[in-house]
Amino acid sequence: MAIKRGVSSFGVHRNRGGGGSRFPVFTLVLILVLAPMVFFVGRGIYSADSIDQNDSSISNNKQVIDVIKANTDDLGPLSLDSFRKQNFSASWKFSGQENVIDISSSSSEIVATNKQETPKGKQDSSLVDDHSQYMETPTMLARRKLRDKRRETRAAGLMKQDEDVSIKLENAAIERSKSVDSAVLGKYSIWRKEADNENIDTTVRLIRDQIIMARVYVSIATMKNKTNMAHELQIRIKESQRALGDATTDIDLNQSAPEKIKAMGQLLSKARDQLYDCKLVTGKLRAMLQSADEQVRSLKKQSTFLSQLAAKTIPNGIHCLSMRLTIEYYLLSPEKRKFPRSENLENPSLYHYALFSDNVLAASVVVNSTIMNAKEPEKHVFHLVSDKLNFGAMNMWFLLNPPGKATIHVENVDEFKWLNSSYCPVLKQLESAAMKEFYFKADHHTTLSAGSSNLKYRNPKYLSMLNHLRFYLPQVYPKLNKILFLDDDIVVQKDLTGLWKVDLHGKVNGAVETCGESFHRFDKYLNFSNPHIARNFDPNACGWAYGMNVFDLKQWKKRDITGIYHRWQSMNEDRVLWKLGTLPPGLMTFYGLTHPLDKSWHVLGLGYNPSIDKIDIENAAVVHYNGNMKPWLELAMTRYRSYWVKYIKFDHPYIRGCKISE
């Protein structure tokens, strides 16, 4: 493209007349000599004012061209070539003149145009010395705007990406907090009531936030010797705490709360003006967060220990009941201690239950709920086994409160002479020094300091043979063919006679499976790093529940189930195969010999899981309070306790005398 220049100033004019005129020779020579000079002046290489400054002018203009070229090269897809392809143009107002520059022009043309269109009064030495600053205004301004716009777009995209990531992390943290599963409380925690509340109590949250910020400013004020401000903040903190009290919802707040919020807000605004320092505030909040985290961990350990302790103990009311019944029993004459219908105890055509317990009240609920929901109570026989301490109380309770037409019999586990350490491996292990140290030595390396989850293995029930007696059912009841085993923390809600009609397909154990997609499988209970476990069992095999089990005692004897249990129990003397308990050896002993029952027969989790569907509970034949929150303990979940207490006779004189209430 050609750019028109002021060539006429040199005296060279185009002849606009007819085609017959000729230039003089002198004029032609002059044109030939001056034309190159005019061309270079037009291209910006020579100065129009002084030809003596050629060298410096050429150097300066080359630098300008290099700057423009470097900036256009950096633009990548937005380079000068792309502007040419897209036929972009830019316009600027400069020095009071409107200049339109075609972007498709070359860099040198743009330089020359800008130089010639600048007023002569402004062509001083400063522009010659600072040519790059002069050239930046028209061309690079547009490019800088484009670069800034591209940076802003990229930054906005990154910020949005960061926000999306933060939201995902927050949502993941919320989901993890909802699935908190501790060894003590399972998935249940009181504070979740507030977290699950859809109606956000903004006033309560505001007061708490104000208290937190006030504590931050107290610390900063103390650091900066602002004693008056620190004292005033401490007063407001106490007032806000009194207004908040134990409230968890806005409805529970004191009437003075709005006034306290306003006063605290004014003081915080004043403190912010005087004390706010971003770095200090951030540091204090981080320190408070770390301190709170440490406190939560410490309190969680304490809660674990106390919950385990509560789960191990017997409430005063039940202990009182047991003692009173024991005294009454041993005051009876021997002939009055016998139960009627003893001829039914070995009749294989009846429905037999095995119940091993040292809790009188719990055993009474199991028997009462079973009989009250049975269609033919006279055909049901209950075989109860207790320990020496509670044997008299268990007898006396059912002598005073016979289960209708059903048959009942109570035995003392300590009177089973065949159950001794030479025959039973677990008895031998329980008598060992290592086992006693594990249970009773406080400073053992596997105590609370080594992990709160280990506390659950120190439950005294694992020391009692009542817990291990389930592996000796054919020895305890040699004349029976089939028996239904019940734990003492269950409630029967339907007639159970249908279980005796279930075809076990040659299996020994009929039980409800407990595995889901990834939990309650064998790898949760057994140590698969041990070669004996890894070689004999599938880690993904489905677990099942003790608590309501149908046992075919004929198949039991045929397959020598007790012998299998003895073999595994002997190998686990050092607890290298599994931790203490009866479910892991049960899973191993009945591996491949368990028939799955319909889940409606047995619903578990009422002792740890607060989210069981009410319909599932009401439709279940048996509900099981497995877990630490037993229904007879104060830490029981209120929503499930009603299924258990309705089978207790609270008007009984012994119940009233021992202050056992709903």
Side-chain angles (χ1 to χ4, degrees), residues 508-524:
V508 180
N509 175 27
V512 171
E513 293 183 336
T514 58
C515 60
E517 293 182 359
S518 61
F519 57 93
H520 286 190
R521 297 186 181 273
F522 271 45
D523 58 353
K524 178 179 176 64

Side-chain angles (χ1 to χ4, degrees), residues 353-418:
Y353 301 86
L355 175 61
F356 309 144
S357 175
D358 58 358
N359 188 326
V360 176
L361 192 63
S364 69
V365 170
V366 175
V367 174
N368 290 342
S369 62
T370 305
I371 296 303
M372 290 178 65
N373 292 285
K375 295 179 180 179
E376 299 176 297
E378 66 278 2
K379 293 185 178 181
H380 295 260
V381 181
F382 292 90
H383 302 267
L384 274 69
V385 180
S386 188
D387 57 13
K388 181 167 55 178
L389 183 62
N390 295 280
F391 172 73
M394 199 75 71
N395 275 281
M396 191 64 197
W397 176 263
F398 289 106
L399 287 171
L400 293 174
N401 306 279
K405 298 179 180 180
T407 303
I408 195 164
H409 181 231
V410 181
E411 295 180 272
N412 182 0
V413 68
D414 296 313
E415 294 180 357
F416 295 159
K417 302 302 180 182
W418 52 268

Side-chain angles (χ1 to χ4, degrees), residues 214-232:
R215 287 174 177 166
V216 172
Y217 285 131
V218 166
S219 178
I220 297 175
T222 303
M223 182 188 304
K224 295 185 176 182
N225 294 323
K226 304 271 187 183
T227 55
N228 293 334
M229 177 61 71
H231 180 67
E232 192 174 354

